[in-house]
Each structure stands twice: as C-alpha cells, then as structure tokens.
Amino acid sequence: MAVLWLDEISAGDLEKVGGKGASLGELTGAGLPVPPGFVVTAGTYRSFIEEAEIDDELFDAVDVDVDDSSALAEAADRAQELILETPFPDELREEILESYAEIGDGEAFVAVRSSATAEDLPDASFAGQQDTYLNVTEENLLNRVRECWASLFTQRAIYYRQEQGFDHSVVNIAVVVQQMVDAEKSGVMFTSHPSTGDPTMIIEAAWGLGEAVVSGAVSPDNYIISREDGDVDVTVAEKKVMHEKDEETGQTVEREVPEDKRTERVLSEDEIEQLVELGERVENHYDQPQDVEWAIVEGEVFMLQSRPITTIDESSGEAAATGATIDVSESVTDGSGSAQAQAARGDKPSSDSASGEVLVDGLGSSPGTVSGAAQIVRKLDDLEKVGEGDIIVTEMTMPDMVPAMKRAAGIITDEGGMTSHAAIVSRELGVPAIVGTTNATTVLEDGQIVTLDGDKGAVLDGETVEPEEETEPVEEVRPQAPVKPMTATEVKVNVSIPEAAERAAATGADGVGLLRTEHMILSLNQTPEKFIEENGEDAYIKELIEGIRGVADEFYPRPVRVRTLDAPTDEFRQLEGGSDEPKEHNPMLGYRGIRRSLDRPDVFAHELEAFRRLYEMGYDNVEIMLPLVNDAEDVYRAKALMKDAGIDPEKRKWGAMIETPAAALSVEEMAEAGIDFASFGTNDLTQYTLAVDRNNENVADRFDELHPSVLRLIGDVIETCREHDVATSICGQAGSKPEMVQFLVNEGVSSISANIDAVRDVQHEVKRTEQKLVLDSVR
Ligand code: PEP
Ligand code: MG
C-alpha cells in the first residue's frame, strides 16, 4: 500500500506517515472533525527512489562541502532534478489518483503537505522545507507530491543536515493529501494558557484561510475564555488582509478585507462554544494542553492540526505567581518598566544588588551584577590576559575583542553611549556592561577586584557577588522558554552579532526587526574593498551569506530584516585597508549607509548578490532594509540596483529606515516607490533631529528619543504609512523603553523591535497598552 487513509493511522505510525500525518490520523481516529485525506507514506518515497535506482546518485550528489555556496547550489539542483524528472511507476500513479478520486466529489481541491518523519527533532528545518501546496487538483497532484519529496533537498535542508551531522540517506518524507476546507474564518486555539497551563483557552481568529493567521500576515481577533466560569474576554483587531482561494486560478491569494468587515468580530458566541468543546475533547484525548489550528465553513468547525503546547513553563515562578489570571504582565514589570529598561533610559534605579565604594560610574548598558578581577586592555595583545570571569576595562571595545568579551564576566569602557559597539555586543552576549565612564582605564588597576553593577551603571570596590551568581556567558545561557503574551503589535528583536542569534530566537520574538551587517564585516578586520582585493568577491559574498544565514535559520520562518551595510568611515578606519577611507570632519554626517552603497554600486552589488543567493536557497524569511535614506530618490535608486542584481522587489519584502527628518518628511513618496515597511532608527533620528551627536558624552543628557519633535515625526510617519498600507516598526534603542512602546502602540505601529534582554518586558508593555486601548474604546 503506497497510501494510508487518515482513519487507518494512529500516533504510533510516525515513522510511516511523519509527524503531520500521524497527528491527523490520531485525531481522525478520535472522532474529531478532521477533513478527509490520505498519506503517501515515507516508505513510498523510499521505494520510489530505490526502484528508479536514483538513490545512490541522489546521496552522492548532496555529499558536498556545504560551505562552498556554488557547490551547494549545484548539489541541490541536481538532487531535485533527479526526483522531479523521474516518472511515477504506473501502479503508484494509479493508486494515488484513485485515492484522490475518493475524496469529496472526485474533483476536490486538496492540500498537499510534506510530513517529515524527523519533524519533531529540535530543528524542523532538518527535515526539509516543509512544503505545502494549497488548492491542488488532479491535474497537478502527482507533481506536487514529487515536489514535496524534492523539498528534502533544498540548499537549506542539505546544509542543515550536513552541519548537524545527519546522514542524508536515512531521512524520509511522507506526503499528506487532504481535502481543503474553504474556510470563511479560521485561526488557532490554545486549549490551556500557553505559559502557565491555567484552564484558560485562547482563540485567535481571522477571516479566510488560516495561513494568514499562522504566517502573521494579519492581526487576528483574540478571545480569552475562562474554563472555570466561561467568561469570555474579546479583543477585536483590525484585520486588513485575508487569504482565500481565487475562483479563477484556484490559487490562494491575499486580498484586502472589505472595509465593513475589518473591525467586525469574527466569532459568534455559538462558534466559541463549539471551539471550546472541541478544544476540551482534543485536550482530553491527548491528556495534554494542545495548540490547535481550526477552520469554520458554513457554520461547521474543522480541526486542521493539533500539537502539544511546548511552552508551558512549569518551573517559572514568574508565571506561577500570577495564579489563574491570563496576563502575567502585572507581576513581571511595574509601571515604570524593568531595571533594564530604566538603565536603557539612563536612569539609576535604586537597588541593593551591590553596595560598596563607587569607584567609577557610567551608563549601565547591559544589566546584571558581577564581581571579578579588572583587566585593563589598552591594545589587542592585552586580550590574552583576560580569563574566564575577569572584567574587561578598555577605552572602547572593538570587533576583535568579541571572543574575549564572551569569556569575560563584565565589560567597562571609558567611551561610548548606549548604541556603541561595547553596549550592543555585551547586551547581545548577555554580559553585564557599563560604557562611557570616561576614566575607568585610569582609575581601575590590573587585577583589582571590583563589582560591576550593569543596572546602576556603577563600579564598586571589592567583591560583593559570589562567582556562582554571575551572569553566565552566552554559550551557557539557558534559553528562556518562548512564553509570550499574545499581542496584535508584533514584538521583534534586534541582532547585531550572529553569535547572539540563538539567544535572540529563544526570546520568542516574532522575528528580527534589525540585523546589522556591520559587525559581520568589522569582524573580518578588513574593509570590504580590502577583503575583496585579497580574497575575491565570492569570499566576501560568502561571508555575508554565512552571517545572515545563521540568523535566518535560527528564526525560520519568522522574518529577519537584514540591513544593508551602514558603517561610518571612522569605524572602518581601524580596519586593514582603513587608511583608504575618506577623512571626514563629521563621519555621522558623512559617507555611510545608502549614500555609500549608491556611490559604490560595485561593492553594494555583492551585498545584493548575497541576498539573491539566500532567496535562491529558500530563505524567504529574509527582508532587505535600507539605512540612512533621505528621500524617494534614494529608494528608487536602491530598488533599481536590487532589480539589476536579480532580486524582484515585487516578490520580496523590503523597506527603508527612517533615520533623518528628511526621510520622515518624504515617507509618502517612499511608499509610492514601493517600500513594504518603514522602520524608525531612533538612534539616528534623534541625533539628526536634535543635532545631538549620539556618541558625545558632553551632550548625552540632551539625547532624548522622547523629545516632542522626534515623537511628532514618528507619529506623522505612522499615520502616512497606515494610509498607504506600509508597515511601520522601530529598531532603534528606544524601542526597548516603556514610554516609547506606549507611544508607538497608541499611534498604531505594526511592530516593535527590542534588545534581546528587553523583549520580554516589551511584550508585556505592548500587551498592557493594547488592553488599555481596548478598554478605553468601550468605556
Ligand atoms: C538607529 O539609528 O536607530 C539604528 C537602529 O541604526 P544604528 O544604531 O545602527 O545607526
Ligand atoms: Mg542608524
């Protein structure tokens, strides 16, 4: 038997039918309303390649050096070609088509999905691309099945398996063929609270097919139902888009939701009741809280998928302390925000985490309190003396210092502000840090035992923290459970060094709102021009691909907004080849960001080529963000270069940063130029609006991202972008501040990207602000 019907399958058949197939079979067997379908088993894939005798050639083809991008691309092409061009044996073809004829009226639209047998391993991308084809009919069914098989051999999947040491020849794939439900409404449901496990059901619902909710294309309505007293708390969202079947082409398309339905509540009381009943049945069946995908058509409820909720944090005192309530935010942050957020504002929260004589003070730029021996680093050779648990004291950190920063217990610098290299990297590594002390390298001595309080921004004499309480370096940080409150505004995370990707992904953020590429380049220790001169263009492109891929993989399929290069010339000057950099009186007003890229399209072309290859590899979660644009002309010129590089701006998501008043004032024209999003770089927007050098300690007290003029520019941009259906976001440091979060949510921003350690607080601040908005609207 090449296929098994869903009602013939149970959970124990994982090896034969893969994770999705087994789960659907189990649900069908339990009498739950699952649309009918069958699974082309993993064994069928295996006999297909063996009987056609393409197996050896297939596995040989993918046995390549995956760090060689062109070899990897060739391997994937060859392997996929082998599968796609091998005809189906007659018997198999007939069996699949006959099974299809039994679904619905024989002309049904079906969904064809790969169901990997290794899907439940820690990294799902191990198994393949998890391809899904919707609205498939008899005509292209067989090709779609073969395409699912071929998805085992995308560049991304081959790369991952090789990296993880898995043997390509032992991975199998099954394919689920299931009747499509032409959903009028659909969404997801948590049968118990996803972080506390409390008896609270949470339903998210939107119009049309469920892909819009699952992919995050739409902000769904939110229904919170107490299973104790049946109380329902409803938050109706503005649902701008829906996915549905195009009657002519049969394809799934994204359409605008008609004006009158946008703010209409999706679920009736009766439908909620049906869903709750279903949720209880499925939870009882598995004896475990479930995360369910559901759909409703003509009043009938269907279950499309059910998985155990893996985010319930049993050990979390934080969650447990909230008792039976749904919103854990109140217990996590107080109204003034966390110590971290206060530190980001430059406040000095009073905490008795450490006490003693204050030797030096500065800006607490990465939270946590540690004690250790100070090691003064004046030149790179000094880094050797930095051991585990030591505290680096230096004028300013440099990319070469990252390995030592990872093993250090803390970092103190003389120079720099909250957005300096030291501040950004230490925050991402989770190492407590204080920047901008002005005099730490002269006041502190080599070997002196000090305590660094990264919240207060103070360095104290002596040891006040036992070593075991110290913040662990990044490799050992236990990822936070991805417990997050549901918010209509997305909360993303900023990443600047690929090493921080895992820690960033573990926050449960909705994606990366800013991936800076400068740090990847700075760590090459050569300017791009010099690196290319010595190592060739391809080597440079590969460096970029590697850095971006590490993050894109970690977050897949969550979106990762990658910013094209934006390094001021003074940062490049310290690198080899830096003597060729123009000498600028004021680098912040100089040759950086899109200005440099447009001036050197030959160098920019390599960045774009890296994006093109990433798209080709299947990283469709990568988005392109252009820094320091001033007007629509910058955008049009960059767009033309994207096209020249073989990137279709209509197909890919791309946008611009709003970092200058000029950009803020010309966002309407940029929207007409086709940007999908505008992202506030408030570090620069504040600097340029207020004429306050962001790195100058003398005017640090004037650097105010919440200045009314900055806020006015931001508010106007959000309003204009809403009118033009352009998403808005923030990726400057200010996105981690509660006041800014409140302002942005009230203005209707689409997403907020925060520092890794602030994501959790921002999620709760967003939630609280959204709830207040809803309450105010009904009061
Ligand atoms: C900003 O300007 O706010 C920003 C995010 O970019 P960068 O800090 O890298 O200049
Ligand atoms: Mg900037």
Side-chain angles (χ1 to χ4, degrees):
M1 287 293 279
V3 310
L4 283 176
W5 286 93
L6 290 181
D7 59 10
E8 298 172 319
I9 296 168
S10 67
D13 294 321
L14 187 81
E15 286 285 302
K16 284 190 218 155
V17 298
K20 267 187 212 114
S23 156
L24 290 170
E26 180 73 19
L27 293 170
T28 308
L32 289 155
V34 176
F38 59 88
V39 180
V40 181
T41 64
T44 304
Y45 155 74
R46 180 54 57 167
S47 29
F48 172 80
I49 57 167
E50 284 174 4
E51 280 165 28
E53 296 180 356
I54 57 168
D55 49 341
D56 288 343
E57 196 178 343
L58 191 59
F59 303 134
D60 283 350
V62 294
D63 187 15
V64 288
D65 171 9
V66 290
D67 290 322
D68 179 344
S69 306
S70 32
L72 179 61
E74 241 172 68
D77 285 352
R78 178 68 195 130
Q80 296 193 25
E81 190 183 28
L82 270 172
I83 293 182
L84 296 175
E85 293 190 352
T86 300
F88 273 92
D90 288 344
E91 220 174 294
L92 177 57
R93 165 194 301 270
E94 270 163 36
E95 190 174 344
I96 295 177
L97 292 179
E98 275 169 19
S99 305
Y100 166 78
E102 285 181 43
I103 295 182
D105 52 5
E107 290 177 6
F109 284 93
V110 289
V112 179
R113 297 192 159 90
S114 57
S115 175
T117 52
E119 175 166 40
D120 297 328
L121 287 175
D123 197 312
S125 42
F126 160 70
Q129 285 280 73
Q130 314 291 309
D131 275 357
T132 291
Y133 300 97
L134 303 178
N135 301 308
V136 178
T137 53
E138 180 176 5
E139 196 186 341
N140 45 13
L141 173 62
L142 294 166
N143 282 339
R144 294 306 193 205
V145 169
R146 236 180 339 212
E147 281 166 40
C148 285
W149 290 343
S151 75
L152 269 184
F153 297 100
T154 60
Q155 292 188 37
R156 206 174 147 253
I158 299 170
Y159 176 86
Y160 232 87
R161 284 199 297 270
Q162 205 104 319
E163 285 284 289
Q164 311 265 335
F166 286 109
D167 183 351
H168 295 292
S169 65
V170 301
V171 182
N172 284 324
I173 193 160
V175 180
V176 177
V177 177
Q178 190 184 22
Q179 182 164 18
M180 287 279 301
V181 173
D182 233 345
E184 285 146 16
K185 343 176 149 176
S186 53
V188 295
M189 161 166 65
F190 294 98
T191 63
S192 289
H193 189 283
S195 59
T196 60
D198 289 333
T200 306
M201 283 209 191
I202 300 173
I203 303 176
E204 290 192 332
W207 304 114
L209 299 171
E211 276 69 22
V213 177
V214 176
S215 70
V218 66
S219 303
D221 283 1
N222 186 250
Y223 304 81
I224 300 171
I225 305 115
S226 160
R227 285 167 64 183
E228 278 166 353
D229 56 18
D231 260 12
V232 183
D233 179 5
V234 186
T235 307
V236 178
E238 188 185 357
K239 299 159 289 289
K240 291 188 186 154
V241 293
M242 62 195 283
H243 288 187
E244 59 183 7
K245 186 171 76 189
D246 183 293
E247 288 305 334
E248 275 181 21
T249 63
Q251 294 308 305
T252 302
V253 287
E254 185 170 294
R255 295 218 167 101
E256 285 196 3
V257 173
E259 206 58 57
D260 56 325
K261 282 179 89 176
R262 287 189 175 197
T263 48
E264 189 185 311
R265 174 176 154 161
V266 174
L267 291 178
S268 65
E269 295 297 331
D270 182 46
E271 287 165 334
I272 294 174
E273 250 175 57
Q274 287 188 58
L275 282 167
V276 168
E277 201 243 333
L278 203 65
E280 279 174 352
R281 275 171 66 196
V282 69
E283 182 170 307
N284 289 342
H285 178 73
Y286 283 111
D287 203 15
Q288 201 180 358
Q290 298 287 304
D291 166 359
V292 174
E293 276 175 40
W294 56 266
I296 295 180
V297 55
E298 290 172 5
E300 196 177 345
V301 178
F302 288 95
M303 250 177 115
L304 307 182
Q305 195 169 98
S306 183
R307 285 173 297 226
I309 299 176
T310 51
T311 55
I312 292 178
D313 185 2
E314 281 162 14
S315 63
S316 162
E318 201 175 71
T322 62
T325 59
I326 174 72
D327 187 356
V328 296
S329 59
E330 264 46 62
S331 68
V332 177
T333 52
D334 62 21
S336 61
S338 67
Q340 190 285 326
Q342 288 175 342
R345 283 202 304 271
D347 294 356
K348 300 282 193 306
S350 70
S351 139
D352 57 7
S353 53
S355 53
E357 187 200 342
V358 175
L359 301 173
V360 284
D361 64 6
L363 290 170
S365 59
S366 178
T369 302
V370 284
S371 294
Q375 297 295 348
I376 317 288
V377 176
R378 296 191 199 280
K379 51 187 188 322
L380 288 179
D381 288 349
D382 294 342
L383 286 172
E384 282 172 20
K385 64 184 181 188
V386 178
E388 294 278 341
D390 284 345
I391 293 177
I392 296 179
V393 183
T394 185
E395 239 174 58
M396 187 54 203
T397 62
M398 287 189 288
D400 270 348
M401 295 186 183
V402 172
M405 290 168 80
K406 278 192 203 165
R407 61 177 185 269
I411 294 151
I412 304 170
T413 69
D414 288 348
E415 297 171 2
M418 294 300 293
T419 60
S420 60
H421 179 268
I424 290 172
V425 174
S426 54
R427 238 184 339 252
E428 293 196 0
L429 292 175
V431 178
I434 299 174
V435 298
T437 59
T438 69
N439 57 0
T441 54
T442 45
V443 174
L444 304 179
E445 285 172 18
D446 249 345
Q448 182 178 1
I449 303 296
V450 295
T451 296
L452 178 169
D453 186 333
D455 296 297
K456 288 180 178 169
V459 182
L460 312 174
D461 196 16
E463 176 175 315
T464 62
V465 179
E466 295 295 319
E468 51 271 29
E469 289 175 43
E470 292 171 2
T471 304
E472 292 170 340
V474 68
E475 291 88 349
E476 290 153 37
V477 169
R478 209 162 48 86
Q480 276 177 313
V483 178
K484 63 176 200 130
M486 294 204 203
T487 56
T489 313
E490 289 179 317
V491 179
K492 300 186 181 175
V493 62
N494 295 334
V495 177
S496 299
I497 52 171
E499 291 94 325
E502 191 185 345
R503 194 166 168 259
T507 59
D510 294 313
V512 174
L514 166 64
L515 171 59
R516 290 185 170 94
T517 45
E518 300 75 65
H519 294 262
M520 298 175 200
I521 302 301
L522 291 172
S523 64
L524 299 177
N525 238 325
Q526 294 183 318
T527 58
E529 288 84 353
K530 183 77 184 168
F531 187 87
I532 292 167
E533 187 187 309
E534 294 205 346
N535 304 283
E537 293 172 355
D538 208 48
Y540 178 65
I541 295 166
K542 279 182 188 159
E543 287 289 342
L544 290 169
I545 292 177
E546 285 318 299
I548 299 170
R549 175 153 73 178
V551 183
D553 256 325
E554 204 61 68
F555 277 83
Y556 196 87
R558 290 177 276 172
V560 174
R561 225 162 248 183
V562 185
R563 182 173 75 180
T564 60
L565 200 53
D566 178 17
T569 49
D570 54 338
E571 284 188 26
F572 271 4
R573 183 145 329 99
Q574 0 152 358
L575 306 177
E576 199 189 323
S579 53
D580 295 336
E581 288 293 303
K583 296 210 171 34
E584 295 187 306
H585 183 61
N586 192 336
M588 278 300 183
L589 298 181
Y591 194 52
R592 55 175 289 211
I594 204 70
R595 305 165 179 193
R596 187 177 180 128
S597 302
L598 294 176
D599 189 55
R600 290 294 307 267
D602 52 330
V603 182
F604 190 44
H606 301 127
E607 287 174 59
L608 296 174
E609 171 62 9
F611 283 112
R612 193 195 62 75
R613 290 194 203 169
L614 284 158
Y615 290 136
E616 192 181 76
M617 288 179 201
Y619 290 94
D620 49 10
N621 59 332
V622 166
E623 303 179 352
I624 302 176
M625 181 154 73
L626 307 170
L628 219 70
V629 296
N630 254 351
D631 48 38
E633 194 190 330
D634 283 342
V635 172
Y636 278 116
R637 287 176 65 195
K639 184 177 175 183
L641 293 175
M642 279 161 65
K643 284 190 192 155
D644 289 349
I647 297 169
D648 183 351
E650 306 306 322
K651 278 206 191 134
R652 305 297 173 189
K653 282 228 160 33
W654 61 285
M657 291 189 69
I658 304 296
E659 292 172 290
T660 69
L665 295 170
S666 46
V667 75
E668 182 152 23
E669 290 79 7
M670 289 191 213
E672 280 155 16
I675 54 169
D676 294 303
F677 59 84
S679 182
F680 299 107
T682 40
N683 307 336
D684 279 322
L685 185 60
T686 306
Q687 141 166 289
Y688 298 130
T689 305
L690 305 181
V692 172
D693 180 346
R694 60 193 261 189
N695 289 332
N696 184 340
E697 300 103 70
N698 299 319
V699 285
D701 59 341
R702 286 189 160 263
F703 187 84
D704 177 12
E705 297 121 320
L706 298 164
H707 190 286
S709 302
V710 177
L711 295 185
R712 189 183 302 175
L713 286 171
I714 293 177
D716 289 352
V717 169
I718 294 178
E719 193 181 327
T720 308
C721 284
R722 280 164 70 102
E723 284 161 13
H724 289 78
D725 238 351
V726 168
T728 44
S729 183
I730 183 171
C731 61
Q733 299 293 332
S736 301
K737 297 186 176 183
E739 298 90 332
M740 183 58 100
V741 171
Q742 286 157 20
F743 171 77
L744 291 170
V745 173
N746 281 316
E747 294 292 309
V749 80
S750 327
S751 66
I752 291 178
S753 193
N755 302 329
I756 296 177
D757 48 296
V759 167
R760 191 69 175 272
D761 284 349
V762 170
Q763 287 167 338
H764 288 292
E765 194 63 51
V766 167
K767 169 97 185 177
R768 190 185 351 245
T769 311
E770 287 179 353
Q771 283 180 335
K772 187 165 181 307
L773 268 175
V774 175
L775 281 176
D776 288 349
S777 72
V778 294
R779 270 177 186 151

